[in-house]
Every structure is written in structure tokens, then in C-alpha cells.
Amino acid sequence: MPAMDAARPSLPDPAFWAGRRVLVTGHTGFKGAWLSLWLAELGATVTGFSDGVPTTPSLHALARLDELVDGRTGDVRDAVRVAEAVAQARPEVVLHLAAQPMVRRSFAEPVATYATNIMGTVHVLDAIRRAPGDVRVVIVVTSDKCYDNREWPWGYREDEPLGGHDPYSSSKGAAEIVTAAYRASYFDAGDAPAVATARAGNVIGGGDWGADRLLPDVFRAALAGTPIAVRNPDAIRPWQHVLNPLSGYLRLAERAWEDRAAARAFNFGPADEDARAVGWIVERVGELWDGDLRWEVDPGPHPHEAHWLKLDSSLARAQLGWRPAWDLADGLAAAVDWFRAHRDGDDARSVTRAQIAAFCAGPFGA
Ligand SMILES: NC(=O)c1ccc[n+]([C@@H]2O[C@H](COP(=O)([O-])OP(=O)(O)OC[C@H]3O[C@@H](n4cnc5c(N)ncnc54)[C@H](O)[C@@H]3O)[C@@H](O)[C@H]2O)c1
């Protein structure tokens, strides 16, 4: 893993993370598994907290992350269990990712979604409020869907109104409001933890088996040799590889550690040209995949989903020096390579570690 490079400031600084005690909630999920493995590579002491493993298969299980992470099982809706986990882990940095992250499931389970995404965030912040211990930085991961979506072609900026049409999106808008209120009410003093939020767009990468997500659906179909039913092929999304926003979360934590004034909301979105239609993504994966990949439009009916959604990440660029190190072409190539290696029986931890090292080295396949 290279040391931080002034020319590529998006990369986390190994000197900061080595030996650092980090609590990752949602460590068994798609993003949490990549993040835990990356933190372990950086030399951090990682404790995880989640309610189990959300999918089978999962990157967490395939990469045997329970060997690298001290995993605790519990529900973020259980305030006592959350407080115990914080007290036992004695973290210096908390990365809160645990959530019910699916829009469609949120329509079926609004109460559980709000309880997990809003009260789960309250419980994490309140455990830290009541017993901050060594906690110095908290990053709450929300979503690009936290904005009041106007269906306009411009990217949303951090100071634009929050909202959310569906239970998931509005739960993430609410998690933003809760976090801002905790920051203003309890974490304002100079020695209190610095509390920031991170908003990122549709994330792709190896090891995602989430239900109702485009790339997992595509790879499930590719591996099974069945056609993919695509909802909303014209919908535009800001696609990016999972390592891009994760590098942003880590940079934000480093920056907030040295300057608590930097702790606020940040967007971590891809470049404008990487906001692409769903149909375009499926076509491109079909070109990269070395097997048959057919798709058809699923006529629905479908629950409401935003048609246009782009983020403006100028603030992260200006204040954190962050930029997406991999563009969409790199990200798609890496995701296809990962699932091809999985199909061919390669070791998931080795493949994932190699992709993290490649991300730190430059453009994919360079
Ligand atoms: N994947 C994306 O495209 C994307 C985009 C924007 C934001 N996000 C956000 O990033 C975070 C991680 O998403 P992901 O894609 O890794 O999701 P995931 O479903 O793969 O993982 C979710 C994690 O949260 C845990 N969890 C869920 N409910 C819980 C509960 N009640 N108590 C304790 N743990 C619970 C799961 O066990 C799992 O570890 C979420 O906050 C999500 O909203 C994801």
C-alpha cells in the first residue's frame, strides 16, 4: 500500500490509520466489507457491528472477514446493544453504515426502514454523546437520495433542501437532519467528537449481492445464463466504484480529525459524464462479460424512483482534495473482473485486496 501521495490526495494515509481503533457499523454489508478489508490493510484495529450478514453469498463470508474484524452482532434499533458495542470497542473513529438500504424494500417495510435508518443513527450518536470515551471522529453514511429531488439536470449541492419521495430516501434525509442536530446540540465544543455525514451515489463493485440492485441483478443473470429484466432503462444514475466513496469517507475522517471545522456534510459523487442510463450500463457490462448476457425491459408496474439524480462534489474536491480515483470505465471493468474471478473460483479476499492495491496505484488495468 503506497504512502499518501500529494498528487493523489484521495487516498487514505496509512500513517493515520495504522493502529487506529475503528468501529464500522454495517461491516457485513457490501460497502462495509470493502471498508473493513481496506481498514485492515491499512493496519487499523477494526470492530464491526451488524445484525448478521445481509446476503448469501456475501463478500464478508467469502473473504473470511471475521478473521480480520472483531465482529459484534446486534441491532442498531437496540440502544442498549449499540451503547455496549461502542463501550467495548473504545473506538477513536466511528463509521456508521448500518442501514436498511433498499428503496423497494422500504416501500414494503417503512416502519423497519425508518426505525433502522433514523433511530439507528440516533442510537449511535447518543451512545457517543453519553460516553464519548476516545471517539474523536464520527462519519454517518447517508445517500445521494437524501435530497429533495427536483428531477433537474444539475448536480445537488450540500446546502440544497433535503427530502425524499420514498421511505428509504426520506429516512436518509432524516438521518442527515438528526446528525446535524446532534452536532449542533452536543458535539459543538472543541473537545467533542467531530461529526460529519457522507452522501454518495449508486455504488458498484465486486461482492454486491443486494436484492433489486442493477449490477447484482446483472451478474446473477450472467452467472446463471438467464436474461435480465431491467426496470427503468432510461433512468440516469451517478455510478461509481465502491472504492471511490470509501476513499472519500476515509479522507473525510482524516481531515475531521485534524480540523473539526471540516466536519459537515459532503457529497462524494462521480464525474458528470459518469452519470449514465441504466440501459447503457447493462450494454457496457455485456460487452465486458465473456459470456452471454441478454436483457429485456421489465414493464412494471414499479414503485416511484427518481429519474434524474446527480451530485456536485466540488466541496469534497476543494476541502478534502478528494476526487474519484476510478472513473466509470475503470469501475465497471473492476466489477466485471471481480465477478469473473468469483465465477472461476478465485479467492475473494485476494481478489479484493488486489483491487484495493490497484485502486491505490492508479487507473484500473494501467
Ligand atoms: N450501495 C449503494 O449503492 C449505496 C448508495 C448510497 C448509500 N448507501 C448507504 O451505504 C450504507 C451501506 O450500504 P450497503 O450497500 O453496504 O448495504 P448492505 O445491505 O450491503 O449492508 C447493510 C449493513 O447494515 C447492516 N444492518 C442492516 N440493518 C441493521 C440493523 N437493524 N441493525 C444492525 N445492522 C443492520 C447489515 O447487516 C449490513 O451489515 C447504507 O447506509 C446505505 O444506505 C449505499
Side-chain angles (χ1 to χ4, degrees):
M1 191 82 50
M4 189 168 107
D5 177 349
R8 304 192 69 227
S10 305
L11 298 177
D13 178 4
F16 175 86
W17 293 101
R20 187 76 63 208
R21 292 190 308 280
V22 183
L23 174 63
V24 179
T25 72
H27 69 294
T28 55
F30 165 53
K31 286 165 89 173
W34 277 90
L35 183 59
S36 305
L37 184 53
W38 199 353
L39 284 165
E41 289 285 287
L42 289 162
T45 302
V46 186
T47 302
F49 181 86
S50 82
D51 65 347
V53 184
T55 59
T56 306
S58 68
L59 176 58
H60 175 80
L62 288 171
R64 305 176 311 284
L65 294 183
D66 51 353
E67 296 170 2
L68 305 176
V69 176
D70 179 8
R72 311 288 165 99
T73 303
D75 195 313
V76 288
R77 290 170 290 184
D78 179 345
V80 173
R81 194 68 198 91
V82 171
E84 278 169 13
V86 172
Q88 287 163 6
R90 298 192 304 113
E92 299 167 280
V93 175
V94 177
L95 296 154
H96 175 47
L97 280 76
Q100 191 302 94
M102 309 293 176
V103 173
R104 278 164 74 95
R105 187 167 158 197
S106 80
F107 279 103
E109 300 174 17
V111 175
T113 300
Y114 285 124
T116 300
N117 296 1
I118 303 174
M119 287 313 294
T121 302
V122 170
H123 292 155
V124 169
L125 294 173
D126 210 62
I128 296 163
R129 173 183 76 85
R130 284 184 288 111
D134 297 331
V135 178
R136 195 153 141 190
V137 171
V138 183
I139 308 293
V140 173
V141 171
T142 66
S143 170
D144 57 349
K145 295 191 171 67
C146 67
Y147 292 105
D148 178 22
N149 193 307
R150 318 280 179 89
E151 297 285 350
W152 64 26
W154 305 288
Y156 292 90
R157 292 196 302 215
E158 286 84 350
D159 56 359
E160 275 175 298
L162 300 168
H165 180 281
D166 57 86
Y168 170 72
S169 304
S170 57
S171 75
K172 287 293 181 172
E176 284 282 346
I177 292 171
V178 161
T179 306
Y182 262 80
R183 182 169 49 230
S185 304
Y186 307 114
F187 299 124
D188 204 22
D191 58 348
V195 179
T197 60
R199 307 167 178 173
N202 279 42
V203 175
I204 61 169
D208 188 6
W209 276 277
D212 290 329
R213 281 185 180 159
L214 179 66
L215 265 287
D217 285 349
V218 168
F219 289 114
R220 265 189 289 270
L223 292 167
T226 52
I228 312 141
V230 177
R231 305 187 303 270
N232 308 319
D234 300 328
I236 310 280
R237 298 276 180 272
W239 308 97
Q240 61 178 334
H241 192 272
V242 60
L243 288 172
N244 283 334
L246 296 187
S247 68
Y249 305 165
L250 296 175
R251 275 295 301 143
L252 174 55
E254 292 172 20
R255 187 80 188 87
W257 182 284
E258 69 198 26
D259 176 11
R260 52 178 294 107
R264 49 156 299 156
F266 281 93
N267 289 337
F268 295 103
D272 253 20
E273 56 274 22
D274 287 343
R276 291 283 190 173
V278 165
W280 186 93
I281 296 287
V282 181
E283 291 284 349
R284 186 77 192 105
V285 174
E287 288 162 19
L288 293 168
W289 185 252
D290 59 352
D292 191 24
L293 195 71
R294 286 160 292 129
W295 66 282
E296 55 205 23
V297 176
D298 175 354
H302 307 300
H304 173 276
E305 282 188 63
H307 191 79
W308 279 94
L309 181 49
K310 282 205 283 187
L311 291 179
D312 180 333
S313 304
S314 309
L315 189 71
R317 189 170 189 117
Q319 294 198 358
L320 308 176
W322 179 86
R323 62 181 174 76
W326 276 354
D327 64 15
L328 180 55
D330 294 326
L332 282 173
V336 170
D337 275 13
W338 195 100
F339 277 99
R340 192 185 295 117
H342 170 66
R343 178 197 65 190
D344 296 344
D346 293 354
D347 176 64
R349 189 193 293 178
S350 307
V351 173
T352 309
R353 288 178 67 189
Q355 293 203 339
I356 292 170
F359 181 86
C360 295
F364 190 73

